[in-house]
Amino acid sequence: MTFQELLSKPLICLDGGTGTMLQARGLRPDERTESWTIEHPEALIQIHQSYIDAGSDIVNANTFGVNKFRYHDSSDYSLSRLVEEAVSNARQAARQAAGDKETLISLDLGPSGQFMEPFGDLTYEEAFDNFRQLVIAGKKAGVDCISIETMFSCQEAQAALEACREYCGLPVLLSFSFQENGRLLTGETVTDAAKTAEDGGAAAVGFNCGFGPVQMMPLVKELLNITSLPVIAKPNAGLPKTVDGKTCYTMEPAEFADVMKEIADMGARLIGGCCGTTPEFIRRLRSLS
């Protein structure tokens, strides 16, 4: 199945959180999520498989935090190996999942963690080179599409989109993380985000992280009014709370699904979960279609 074929479905289910699931399996605060790709592949395979069995049409390889600023020549693992192993884990999970369902594997590209000029020192060329390396590795590993997630800068999103266009040509799902004031951290609006996606050739555009579904709903409504692209909604399991010194998300799957039904009824085509969500959240979303 291709992404274009997947678009014939009335509702496309994405996956949910990875960090929460790994923490439940013993990930320590001082460990990097992406390193578990190589050190504990069985954990990632189980997580991917649980999302596929719950109904995810697309699952993200565990590459969100992989970039040349965190993993460089002196790191234990190279960018290419982290990407290759992450995609391999997701592919194995898809093969082991129940039934004969086809699932697309997506390269997950997160922000570099650096502020681009003029807000910081990162140049457009450096940002582009970072994404270029990841996209080349992802294409070599055989991903079906690319998810650019949690973008807080249209400029960095543009660099990622350009790298995707020039080095792989696969469908790209672009989602931004907005603040409570309805703007990105770098000040851009929903209109700016939509234009970045459309001009950059994205196959879908929307939002992930930052909010729960209730807070994300007005942003989705605004985006639906200004773009013809399929719209993504991938919120957290509510707003975070601190319990015994730990960040927790306390929204229950049923409540999450109730709000996400409203978002889907508004017209969002690709729905999933971010921080704090689990396969049970995705199972509830699958029942909406």
Side-chain angles (χ1 to χ4, degrees):
M1 178 181 290
T2 66
F3 180 75
Q4 287 303 317
E5 290 171 335
L6 195 58
L7 282 177
S8 65
K9 299 179 66 169
L11 198 63
I12 298 168
C13 272
L14 307 175
D15 60 6
T18 298
T20 310
M21 301 284 287
L22 286 178
Q23 288 167 11
R25 286 166 168 77
L27 176 72
R28 302 190 309 269
D30 62 333
E31 290 183 292
R32 288 182 173 176
T33 304
E34 297 75 27
S35 297
W36 268 51
T37 293
I38 295 171
E39 296 167 3
H40 303 282
E42 70 288 346
L44 272 304
I45 293 169
Q46 290 169 5
I47 290 169
H48 293 314
Q49 186 176 341
S50 66
Y51 279 123
I52 295 169
D53 289 341
S56 294
D57 297 302
I58 303 174
V59 294
N60 286 338
N62 186 37
T63 56
F64 176 80
V66 178
N67 61 64
K68 72 175 187 178
F69 305 102
R70 299 182 73 198
Y71 293 92
H72 37 73
D73 291 341
S74 61
S75 301
D76 292 335
Y77 309 117
S78 67
L79 292 184
S80 59
R81 185 182 176 197
L82 286 164
V83 170
E84 179 183 359
E85 295 289 343
V87 174
S88 176
N89 290 341
R91 283 282 178 218
Q92 184 170 336
R95 289 193 297 269
Q96 295 176 184
D100 57 358
K101 179 177 180 293
E102 289 188 70
T103 305
L104 301 187
I105 307 302
S106 184
L107 176 69
D108 196 14
L109 300 181
S112 65
Q114 315 292 310
F115 281 99
M116 293 187 66
E117 296 176 335
F119 302 99
D121 298 326
L122 182 65
T123 67
Y124 185 89
E125 291 73 23
E126 288 172 330
F128 174 81
D129 182 65
N130 170 59
F131 292 119
R132 177 189 64 81
Q133 293 183 50
L134 295 168
V135 167
I136 290 172
K139 183 178 182 181
K140 183 178 179 181
V143 295
D144 302 301
C145 55
I146 295 179
S147 299
I148 303 172
E149 294 195 309
T150 325
M151 286 287 130
F152 56 82
S153 159
C154 284
Q155 190 179 15
E156 186 168 19
Q158 182 182 346
L161 285 168
E162 184 178 353
C164 292
R165 284 199 314 273
E166 291 195 15
Y167 290 94
C168 76
L170 293 171
V172 177
L173 286 61
L174 172 61
S175 62
F176 293 87
S177 183
F178 272 70
Q179 301 184 101
E180 292 182 9
N181 63 2
R183 290 178 177 267
L184 294 173
L185 189 60
T186 47
E188 294 102 334
T189 64
V190 172
T191 298
D192 296 325
K195 187 175 188 305
T196 298
E198 292 164 0
D199 292 349
V205 62
F207 312 99
N208 77 291
C209 206
F211 299 125
V214 173
Q215 296 77 23
M216 189 175 284
M217 191 181 298
L219 294 172
V220 173
K221 183 177 182 180
E222 182 179 353
L223 181 60
L224 284 164
N225 287 331
I226 59 176
T227 186
S228 59
L229 292 175
V231 169
I232 303 163
K234 199 174 180 185
N236 295 338
L239 296 176
K241 297 181 180 180
T242 302
V243 179
D244 297 329
K246 296 182 179 180
T247 300
C248 301
Y249 295 86
T250 57
M251 196 173 202
E252 294 296 325
E255 182 185 1
F256 183 88
D258 285 343
V259 183
M260 291 300 289
K261 183 180 187 307
E262 294 184 53
I263 289 176
D265 288 345
M266 288 167 49
R269 295 280 313 284
L270 297 93
I271 60 173
C274 203
C275 301
T277 60
T278 66
E280 181 56 30
F281 284 74
I282 304 306
R283 189 170 290 107
R284 298 272 184 159
L285 296 186
R286 181 78 282 167
S287 69
L288 300 180
S289 59

